Amino acid sequence: MDATALLSAHINKHKPRIGKVVDYEPATDRLYPLDLTAANTELSSALVANTAAFGRWIDKTLADNQCRYGVGGYMEHRTIYTRSVLFDTEDEPRRLHLGVDIWGGAGIPVYAPLPGVVHSFADNNHFGDYGPTIILQHALEGLTLYSLYGHLSRISLVGLQVGQPISVEHQIATLGNVDENGGWPPHLHFQLMLDIGDARGDYPGVGKFSEQELYLQNIPDPNLLLQITHAIPVKGNL
């Protein structure tokens, strides 16, 4: 059984003990599946380059659809990364999103869905980057899993210690504002990894589309934990 299958089996076995990542009421809250690919004709290069306008578009989309959060993005081939040279490379620009985004307001609490320890953390303070980032390490049955939380508030890093125990649904952070989260409309980048090598406080959240098959071997679908579907309303753990 490969690592992703082991993870899926563990989650299915222990589903009642898997916690939330953000506050969410399945009976009443609605989630909007945000499409940030070229197929979304509402997104122009000018719009995504203007952070304030991009944020207003997200807020209006959620409000018009009466949704608490916007969600989605795993292995999505996005156009929005033209807004930062951070994603440009000589041979092929990075446009493949490797995690799931949960779009909402600054200050929203973020929780650990599994028990673990603080592996590492850093403020990746560059335009287009994660900003404050936390990586947790989880010891599952026969498997080590890492979870990454990006675009956090700077206060989220205060007092953290490597190796610090984290219980399930322990609040680990809050979402950052545009001035501290890498210059993005407020959202959480949530990503799972099976191996992160010697990475500390950072791990790529966007990769080359040509390397998708390699990423799929190491980066499971976060929906294994979130248990969401692309519909309105959406029910699940979140």
Side-chain angles (χ1 to χ4, degrees):
M1 186 181 292
D2 64 24
T4 299
L6 279 172
L7 175 60
S8 182
H10 177 90
I11 289 170
N12 288 332
K13 180 180 178 181
H14 299 284
K15 192 169 291 187
R17 286 186 271 174
I18 295 173
K20 62 188 177 183
V21 175
V22 295
D23 290 314
Y24 172 65
E25 296 295 335
T28 56
D29 289 338
R30 292 156 57 90
L31 310 177
Y32 189 85
L34 278 176
D35 179 356
L36 301 182
T37 71
N40 187 345
T41 56
E42 293 184 41
L43 290 178
S44 65
S45 297
L47 175 62
V48 298
N50 184 322
T51 305
F54 187 23
R56 288 193 296 270
W57 176 82
I58 291 172
D59 292 343
K60 185 177 186 302
T61 298
L62 299 186
D64 288 349
N65 290 279
Q66 299 179 338
C67 290
R68 184 170 185 178
Y69 303 110
V71 296
Y74 176 64
M75 295 296 162
E76 186 173 73
H77 194 202
R78 293 179 165 178
T79 57
I80 62 172
Y81 298 119
T82 57
R83 70 194 305 266
S84 173
V85 297
L86 180 72
F87 305 105
D88 292 338
T89 60
E90 290 184 4
D91 55 343
E92 177 189 352
R94 294 187 295 135
R95 298 289 185 264
L96 183 68
H97 190 251
L98 304 178
V100 163
D101 286 335
I102 302 174
W103 301 84
I108 287 174
V110 178
Y111 306 92
L114 296 168
V117 299
V118 175
H119 172 272
S120 53
F121 54 93
D123 187 356
N124 299 291
N125 187 23
H126 309 95
F127 180 69
D129 211 330
Y130 287 132
T133 310
I134 296 173
I135 298 177
L136 302 184
Q137 181 174 339
H138 313 278
L140 309 181
E141 296 169 343
L143 183 69
T144 299
L145 179 70
Y146 301 89
S147 57
L148 181 149
Y149 310 79
H151 309 298
L152 307 176
S153 61
R154 289 205 171 99
I155 198 171
S156 300
L157 305 185
V158 175
L160 276 187
Q161 296 182 354
V162 171
Q164 176 182 334
I166 300 293
S167 58
V168 63
E169 291 197 349
H170 174 82
Q171 182 181 333
I172 59 171
T174 56
L175 294 192
N177 61 45
V178 67
D179 296 321
E180 59 187 350
N181 74 354
W184 292 94
H187 72 287
L188 173 69
H189 178 95
F190 177 61
Q191 183 170 312
L192 304 178
M193 296 84 62
L194 300 170
D195 182 9
I196 60 172
D198 59 359
R200 294 291 182 271
D202 190 15
Y203 190 86
V206 181
K208 297 177 181 179
F209 186 76
S210 64
E211 298 177 353
Q212 183 177 30
E213 290 304 316
L214 291 175
Y215 292 124
L216 285 168
Q217 296 175 32
N218 188 52
I219 301 177
D221 187 346
N223 192 44
L224 289 170
L225 288 179
L226 296 175
Q227 299 288 303
I228 59 176
T229 56
H230 294 303
I232 302 174
V234 176
K235 295 185 178 182
N237 293 336
L238 209 56

